Amino acid sequence: MAVLPIRIIGDPVLRTVAEEVTDFGPALARLVEDMLETMEDVDGAGLAAPQVGVSQRVFTYQIGQERGHVVNPVLTLSEEYQDDAIEGCLSIPGVAFPVRRRARATVSGIDVSGNPVELAAEGLLARIAQHETDHLDGILFPDRLEGDDRRAALRAIRSIDYRTQVDATLSKRSAHVGSAFGAGAAFGAGAPS
Protein backbone atom coordinates (compact mmCIF):
# COMPACT_ATOMS: atom_id res chain seq x y z
CA MET A 1 0.00 0.00 0.00
CA ALA A 2 1.08 3.58 -0.56
CA VAL A 3 0.08 7.11 0.27
CA LEU A 4 -0.65 8.78 -3.04
CA PRO A 5 -0.19 12.46 -3.96
CA ILE A 6 -3.49 14.35 -4.03
CA ARG A 7 -4.22 16.50 -7.05
CA ILE A 8 -4.95 20.19 -6.43
CA ILE A 9 -7.49 22.36 -8.25
CA GLY A 10 -6.15 23.31 -11.66
CA ASP A 11 -5.25 19.73 -12.56
CA PRO A 12 -7.42 18.73 -15.56
CA VAL A 13 -8.21 15.29 -14.09
CA LEU A 14 -10.41 17.03 -11.51
CA ARG A 15 -12.61 18.51 -14.24
CA THR A 16 -12.90 15.32 -16.31
CA VAL A 17 -15.83 12.91 -16.01
CA ALA A 18 -14.30 9.68 -14.71
CA GLU A 19 -14.64 6.45 -16.66
CA GLU A 20 -16.68 3.50 -15.45
CA VAL A 21 -14.60 0.69 -13.99
CA THR A 22 -14.73 -2.50 -16.06
CA ASP A 23 -11.62 -4.35 -14.80
CA PHE A 24 -11.98 -5.77 -11.28
CA GLY A 25 -8.47 -7.16 -11.02
CA PRO A 26 -5.48 -6.56 -8.76
CA ALA A 27 -4.91 -3.00 -10.05
CA LEU A 28 -8.34 -1.93 -8.77
CA ALA A 29 -7.77 -3.65 -5.41
CA ARG A 30 -4.43 -1.83 -5.08
CA LEU A 31 -6.01 1.51 -6.02
CA VAL A 32 -8.71 1.12 -3.36
CA GLU A 33 -6.19 0.14 -0.67
CA ASP A 34 -3.92 3.05 -1.61
CA MET A 35 -6.89 5.46 -1.57
CA LEU A 36 -7.96 4.24 1.87
CA GLU A 37 -4.41 4.68 3.18
CA THR A 38 -4.10 8.12 1.58
CA MET A 39 -7.47 9.24 2.97
CA GLU A 40 -6.46 8.12 6.45
CA ASP A 41 -3.04 9.79 6.18
CA VAL A 42 -4.57 13.19 5.40
CA ASP A 43 -7.48 12.79 7.84
CA GLY A 44 -10.02 12.91 5.02
CA ALA A 45 -13.62 11.78 5.25
CA GLY A 46 -13.72 10.80 1.59
CA LEU A 47 -11.51 10.53 -1.46
CA ALA A 48 -12.37 10.10 -5.14
CA ALA A 49 -10.02 8.39 -7.60
CA PRO A 50 -9.56 11.55 -9.73
CA GLN A 51 -8.11 13.24 -6.64
CA VAL A 52 -5.18 10.82 -6.86
CA GLY A 53 -4.93 11.21 -10.64
CA VAL A 54 -6.97 8.16 -11.66
CA SER A 55 -9.95 8.93 -13.89
CA GLN A 56 -12.10 6.01 -12.73
CA ARG A 57 -15.43 5.95 -10.90
CA VAL A 58 -14.26 4.94 -7.42
CA PHE A 59 -14.53 6.66 -4.06
CA THR A 60 -13.60 5.79 -0.48
CA TYR A 61 -15.11 7.09 2.75
CA GLN A 62 -14.48 7.01 6.48
CA ILE A 63 -16.60 8.23 9.37
CA GLY A 64 -15.21 7.19 12.73
CA GLN A 65 -14.61 3.45 12.49
CA GLU A 66 -16.90 3.02 9.46
CA ARG A 67 -14.93 2.98 6.24
CA GLY A 68 -15.42 1.58 2.81
CA HIS A 69 -15.46 2.16 -0.90
CA VAL A 70 -17.88 2.17 -3.82
CA VAL A 71 -17.02 1.44 -7.45
CA ASN A 72 -19.26 2.88 -10.19
CA PRO A 73 -21.55 4.61 -7.68
CA VAL A 74 -25.06 5.70 -8.62
CA LEU A 75 -26.88 8.04 -6.21
CA THR A 76 -30.59 8.28 -5.59
CA LEU A 77 -31.17 11.48 -3.62
CA SER A 78 -34.00 12.50 -1.32
CA GLU A 79 -36.12 15.53 -2.12
CA GLU A 80 -35.32 17.07 1.27
CA TYR A 81 -32.13 18.94 2.06
CA GLN A 82 -30.03 18.72 5.18
CA ASP A 83 -28.85 21.85 6.96
CA ASP A 84 -26.00 23.50 5.10
CA ALA A 85 -22.64 22.46 6.52
CA ILE A 86 -19.12 23.68 5.93
CA GLU A 87 -17.31 21.59 3.35
CA GLY A 88 -13.68 21.65 2.45
CA CYS A 89 -11.83 19.53 -0.04
CA LEU A 90 -8.43 17.87 -0.07
CA SER A 91 -8.09 19.18 -3.63
CA ILE A 92 -8.78 22.77 -2.57
CA PRO A 93 -6.73 23.19 0.62
CA GLY A 94 -7.55 26.16 2.82
CA VAL A 95 -10.97 26.87 1.27
CA ALA A 96 -14.23 25.88 3.02
CA PHE A 97 -17.82 27.11 2.70
CA PRO A 98 -21.33 25.94 3.63
CA VAL A 99 -22.71 23.71 0.88
CA ARG A 100 -26.31 22.65 0.34
CA ARG A 101 -26.71 18.88 0.05
CA ARG A 102 -29.61 16.44 0.04
CA ALA A 103 -30.57 14.88 3.37
CA ARG A 104 -30.33 11.26 2.24
CA ALA A 105 -28.65 9.33 -0.53
CA THR A 106 -28.97 5.72 -1.53
CA VAL A 107 -25.63 4.73 -3.01
CA SER A 108 -25.65 1.73 -5.33
CA GLY A 109 -22.50 0.34 -6.84
CA ILE A 110 -20.00 -2.45 -6.73
CA ASP A 111 -17.17 -3.38 -4.39
CA VAL A 112 -13.58 -4.10 -5.38
CA SER A 113 -14.46 -7.76 -6.02
CA GLY A 114 -17.38 -6.96 -8.31
CA ASN A 115 -20.10 -7.64 -5.72
CA PRO A 116 -23.14 -5.33 -5.48
CA VAL A 117 -23.03 -2.66 -2.74
CA GLU A 118 -25.84 -0.47 -1.46
CA LEU A 119 -25.54 2.18 1.26
CA ALA A 120 -28.44 4.03 2.85
CA ALA A 121 -26.63 7.25 3.70
CA GLU A 122 -27.86 10.09 5.90
CA GLY A 123 -26.19 13.14 7.38
CA LEU A 124 -22.42 13.22 6.98
CA LEU A 125 -22.24 10.00 4.95
CA ALA A 126 -24.86 11.36 2.52
CA ARG A 127 -22.80 14.57 2.23
CA ILE A 128 -19.60 12.59 1.60
CA ALA A 129 -21.28 10.42 -1.06
CA GLN A 130 -22.55 13.52 -2.87
CA HIS A 131 -19.21 15.35 -2.62
CA GLU A 132 -17.18 12.37 -3.85
CA THR A 133 -19.60 11.49 -6.65
CA ASP A 134 -19.38 15.12 -7.77
CA HIS A 135 -15.62 14.56 -8.13
CA LEU A 136 -16.35 11.62 -10.41
CA ASP A 137 -18.43 13.95 -12.58
CA GLY A 138 -15.75 16.68 -12.73
CA ILE A 139 -17.61 18.90 -10.23
CA LEU A 140 -15.88 20.62 -7.30
CA PHE A 141 -17.73 21.93 -4.26
CA PRO A 142 -17.34 25.64 -5.23
CA ASP A 143 -19.47 24.78 -8.29
CA ARG A 144 -22.32 24.10 -5.84
CA LEU A 145 -22.03 27.53 -4.20
CA GLU A 146 -24.13 30.55 -5.08
CA GLY A 147 -23.93 34.32 -4.75
CA ASP A 148 -21.41 35.82 -2.34
CA ASP A 149 -20.09 32.43 -1.20
CA ARG A 150 -19.29 31.42 -4.77
CA ARG A 151 -17.56 34.73 -5.49
CA ALA A 152 -15.58 34.50 -2.23
CA ALA A 153 -14.52 30.91 -2.96
CA LEU A 154 -13.36 31.80 -6.46
CA ARG A 155 -11.44 34.81 -5.10
CA ALA A 156 -9.76 32.56 -2.51
CA ILE A 157 -8.76 30.08 -5.19
CA ARG A 158 -7.22 32.84 -7.32
CA SER A 159 -5.47 34.64 -4.47
CA ILE A 160 -1.76 34.70 -3.77
CA ASP A 161 -2.43 33.47 -0.23
CA TYR A 162 -4.19 30.47 -1.73
CA ARG A 163 -1.12 29.62 -3.83
CA THR A 164 0.98 29.82 -0.67
CA GLN A 165 -1.48 27.44 1.02
CA VAL A 166 -1.27 25.00 -1.88
CA ASP A 167 2.53 25.06 -1.85
CA ALA A 168 2.60 24.49 1.91
CA THR A 169 0.08 21.65 1.65
CA LEU A 170 2.01 19.94 -1.13
CA SER A 171 5.24 20.28 0.81
CA LYS A 172 3.68 18.83 3.96
CA ARG A 173 2.06 15.95 2.06
CA SER A 174 5.20 15.08 0.08
CA ALA A 175 6.82 13.82 3.28
CA HIS A 176 4.16 11.09 3.46
CA VAL A 177 3.91 10.15 -0.20
CA GLY A 178 5.23 6.73 -1.07
CA SER A 179 4.92 4.29 -3.90
CA ALA A 180 5.43 0.66 -4.71
CA PHE A 181 8.86 1.71 -6.02
CA GLY A 182 10.08 2.90 -2.61
CA ALA A 183 8.92 5.00 0.29
CA GLY A 184 9.23 8.73 -0.14
CA ALA A 185 8.98 8.78 -3.93
CA ALA A 186 7.19 12.08 -4.48
CA PHE A 187 5.76 11.52 -7.94
CA GLY A 188 3.19 14.08 -9.10
CA ALA A 189 4.01 16.40 -6.19
CA GLY A 190 3.05 19.48 -8.16
CA ALA A 191 -0.46 18.29 -8.94
CA PRO A 192 -3.62 19.19 -6.95
CA SER A 193 -5.95 16.79 -5.15
Side-chain angles (χ1 to χ4, degrees), residues 70-148:
V70 183
V71 178
N72 298 334
V74 175
L75 300 185
T76 304
L77 302 173
S78 67
E79 293 291 323
E80 309 82 39
Y81 289 89
Q82 54 182 279
D83 291 339
D84 292 358
I86 301 289
E87 282 186 29
C89 181
L90 296 170
S91 294
I92 312 175
V95 177
F97 284 89
V99 179
R100 190 170 197 219
R101 298 284 186 186
R102 301 293 179 136
R104 290 177 302 287
T106 300
V107 185
S108 302
I110 304 167
D111 71 12
V112 73
S113 301
N115 300 312
V117 171
E118 186 167 293
L119 300 172
E122 294 185 4
L124 182 57
L125 185 54
R127 181 171 294 280
I128 292 167
Q130 291 168 76
H131 181 108
E132 301 310 331
T133 302
D134 274 354
H135 274 299
L136 304 180
D137 293 330
I139 298 168
L140 300 174
F141 86 86
D143 300 333
R144 299 285 183 196
L145 302 176
E146 297 177 354
D148 290 341

Side-chain angles (χ1 to χ4, degrees), residues 2 14 36 53-54 68 70 74 84-85 96 98 119 126 131 133 144 155-157 161 168 171 174 183:
L14 296 173
L36 287 165
V54 178
V70 183
V74 175
D84 292 358
L119 300 172
H131 181 108
T133 302
R144 299 285 183 196
R155 271 194 309 276
I157 290 166
D161 291 335
S171 177
S174 69

Side-chain angles (χ1 to χ4, degrees), residues 6-16 50-53 91 140 163 188 190-193:
I6 296 175
R7 305 299 176 98
I8 303 297
I9 190 169
D11 188 309
V13 73
L14 296 173
R15 292 300 193 174
T16 303
Q51 291 183 274
V52 294
S91 294
L140 300 174
R163 180 50 39 204
S193 75

Side-chain angles (χ1 to χ4, degrees), residues 7-81:
R7 305 299 176 98
I8 303 297
I9 190 169
D11 188 309
V13 73
L14 296 173
R15 292 300 193 174
T16 303
V17 176
E19 296 177 17
E20 190 166 309
V21 174
T22 57
D23 183 359
F24 289 83
L28 177 62
R30 167 101 190 208
L31 173 64
V32 169
E33 285 302 314
D34 288 349
M35 287 175 61
L36 287 165
E37 185 174 340
T38 301
M39 181 181 61
E40 186 172 314
D41 184 69
V42 297
D43 295 323
L47 186 65
Q51 291 183 274
V52 294
V54 178
S55 188
Q56 291 195 325
R57 298 190 74 78
V58 179
F59 76 77
T60 58
Y61 62 90
Q62 179 169 319
I63 302 173
Q65 298 304 310
E66 181 183 358
R67 66 188 249 161
H69 68 279
V70 183
V71 178
N72 298 334
V74 175
L75 300 185
T76 304
L77 302 173
S78 67
E79 293 291 323
E80 309 82 39
Y81 289 89

